[in-house]
Amino acid sequence: RMLAGAAAREQSIVVAEDAHSGALLGTASLIVEHKLIRGCGRVGHVEDVVTREKARGRGVGRALLGRLAELAREAGCYKVILDCADKNAAFYEKSGYRRAELQMRLDLD
Protein backbone atom coordinates (compact mmCIF):
# COMPACT_ATOMS: atom_id res chain seq x y z
CA ARG A 1 0.00 0.00 0.00
CA MET A 2 1.31 3.43 -0.93
CA LEU A 3 0.48 6.42 1.20
CA ALA A 4 0.29 9.80 -0.47
CA GLY A 5 2.19 12.64 1.10
CA ALA A 6 4.59 15.44 0.42
CA ALA A 7 7.90 16.00 2.10
CA ALA A 8 8.73 19.54 3.11
CA ARG A 9 11.18 21.08 0.68
CA GLU A 10 13.12 24.29 0.80
CA GLN A 11 14.62 26.05 -2.19
CA SER A 12 17.23 28.78 -2.47
CA ILE A 13 18.33 30.57 -5.61
CA VAL A 14 21.58 32.50 -5.64
CA VAL A 15 22.52 35.08 -8.24
CA ALA A 16 25.88 36.61 -9.11
CA GLU A 17 25.95 40.05 -10.63
CA ASP A 18 28.62 42.41 -11.86
CA ALA A 19 29.33 44.92 -9.07
CA HIS A 20 29.73 47.82 -11.52
CA SER A 21 27.07 47.26 -14.15
CA GLY A 22 24.60 45.09 -12.23
CA ALA A 23 24.61 42.62 -15.13
CA LEU A 24 23.63 39.06 -14.30
CA LEU A 25 26.70 36.78 -14.37
CA GLY A 26 25.27 33.51 -13.10
CA THR A 27 22.71 31.70 -11.04
CA ALA A 28 22.32 28.39 -9.18
CA SER A 29 19.69 26.67 -7.06
CA LEU A 30 19.68 24.51 -3.95
CA ILE A 31 16.77 22.27 -3.04
CA VAL A 32 16.79 20.78 0.46
CA GLU A 33 15.19 17.36 0.68
CA HIS A 34 14.06 15.97 4.01
CA LYS A 35 14.88 12.26 4.22
CA LEU A 36 13.36 9.48 6.28
CA ILE A 37 16.77 7.85 6.69
CA ARG A 38 19.80 9.09 8.62
CA GLY A 39 17.70 10.36 11.48
CA CYS A 40 15.42 12.34 9.17
CA GLY A 41 18.48 14.11 7.80
CA ARG A 42 18.58 16.58 4.96
CA VAL A 43 20.26 16.43 1.57
CA GLY A 44 21.02 19.44 -0.60
CA HIS A 45 20.46 19.08 -4.34
CA VAL A 46 22.32 21.56 -6.57
CA GLU A 47 20.40 22.46 -9.72
CA ASP A 48 20.58 24.87 -12.63
CA VAL A 49 24.14 26.17 -12.28
CA VAL A 50 24.60 28.60 -15.15
CA THR A 51 27.15 31.32 -15.82
CA ARG A 52 27.25 33.75 -18.70
CA GLU A 53 29.81 32.77 -21.25
CA LYS A 54 31.78 36.00 -20.74
CA ALA A 55 31.93 35.31 -16.99
CA ARG A 56 33.32 31.78 -17.27
CA GLY A 57 36.79 31.20 -15.91
CA ARG A 58 36.44 34.10 -13.45
CA GLY A 59 35.33 32.09 -10.40
CA VAL A 60 31.64 32.95 -10.67
CA GLY A 61 30.48 29.33 -10.79
CA ARG A 62 32.70 28.35 -7.88
CA ALA A 63 31.42 31.30 -5.86
CA LEU A 64 27.82 30.24 -6.55
CA LEU A 65 28.58 26.67 -5.49
CA GLY A 66 30.35 27.92 -2.38
CA ARG A 67 27.32 29.95 -1.37
CA LEU A 68 25.02 26.96 -1.96
CA ALA A 69 27.27 24.84 0.27
CA GLU A 70 26.99 27.46 3.01
CA LEU A 71 23.20 27.47 2.69
CA ALA A 72 23.14 23.66 2.81
CA ARG A 73 25.22 23.69 6.00
CA GLU A 74 22.90 26.28 7.54
CA ALA A 75 19.91 24.06 6.61
CA GLY A 76 21.53 21.10 8.39
CA CYS A 77 22.29 19.02 5.29
CA TYR A 78 24.66 16.09 5.74
CA LYS A 79 25.65 16.12 2.05
CA VAL A 80 25.15 18.05 -1.17
CA ILE A 81 24.70 16.22 -4.46
CA LEU A 82 24.25 17.14 -8.10
CA ASP A 83 23.92 15.58 -11.52
CA CYS A 84 25.96 16.89 -14.42
CA ALA A 85 27.05 16.06 -17.92
CA ASP A 86 30.40 14.28 -18.25
CA LYS A 87 31.83 17.37 -19.97
CA ASN A 88 31.14 19.45 -16.82
CA ALA A 89 32.53 16.98 -14.26
CA ALA A 90 35.98 18.59 -14.13
CA PHE A 91 34.47 21.94 -13.14
CA TYR A 92 32.61 20.39 -10.22
CA GLU A 93 35.66 18.37 -9.17
CA LYS A 94 37.67 21.62 -9.03
CA SER A 95 34.92 22.97 -6.79
CA GLY A 96 35.33 20.12 -4.28
CA TYR A 97 32.78 17.60 -5.56
CA ARG A 98 33.71 14.00 -6.31
CA ARG A 99 32.20 11.32 -8.50
CA ALA A 100 29.88 9.04 -6.55
CA GLU A 101 27.26 6.49 -7.39
CA LEU A 102 25.27 6.41 -10.62
CA GLN A 103 22.36 8.47 -11.87
CA MET A 104 19.28 6.68 -13.16
CA ARG A 105 16.54 8.38 -15.15
CA LEU A 106 12.96 7.77 -16.20
CA ASP A 107 11.60 10.06 -18.94
CA LEU A 108 7.94 10.81 -18.38
CA ASP A 109 7.15 12.44 -21.69
Side-chain angles (χ1 to χ4, degrees):
R1 178 175 151 185
M2 303 264 302
L3 300 176
R9 285 193 148 203
E10 303 164 21
Q11 182 173 2
S12 299
I13 299 171
V14 293
V15 174
E17 65 178 21
D18 184 283
H20 301 303
S21 69
L24 180 67
L25 299 178
T27 185
S29 300
L30 176 74
I31 299 169
V32 176
E33 176 186 9
H34 297 256
K35 306 291 278 187
L36 292 175
I37 60 172
R38 292 190 135 238
C40 294
R42 296 176 180 174
V43 174
H45 295 264
V46 171
E47 295 282 341
D48 307 324
V49 178
V50 180
T51 57
R52 280 203 136 139
E53 192 169 334
K54 70 178 185 177
R56 292 180 187 155
R58 296 180 14 199
V60 173
R62 266 194 242 177
L64 291 167
L65 291 172
R67 181 63 184 129
L68 292 183
E70 290 172 6
L71 291 170
R73 249 187 227 98
E74 291 169 11
C77 294
Y78 67 90
K79 69 178 177 180
V80 177
I81 59 176
L82 60 85
D83 296 320
C84 70
D86 285 337
K87 67 180 183 175
N88 296 329
F91 163 72
Y92 291 106
E93 289 171 340
K94 288 178 190 173
S95 299
Y97 289 80
R98 62 180 175 78
R99 293 175 188 258
E101 300 164 359
L102 171 71
Q103 176 195 54
M104 299 299 292
R105 173 177 159 163
L106 173 65
D107 293 322
L108 299 175
D109 55 3

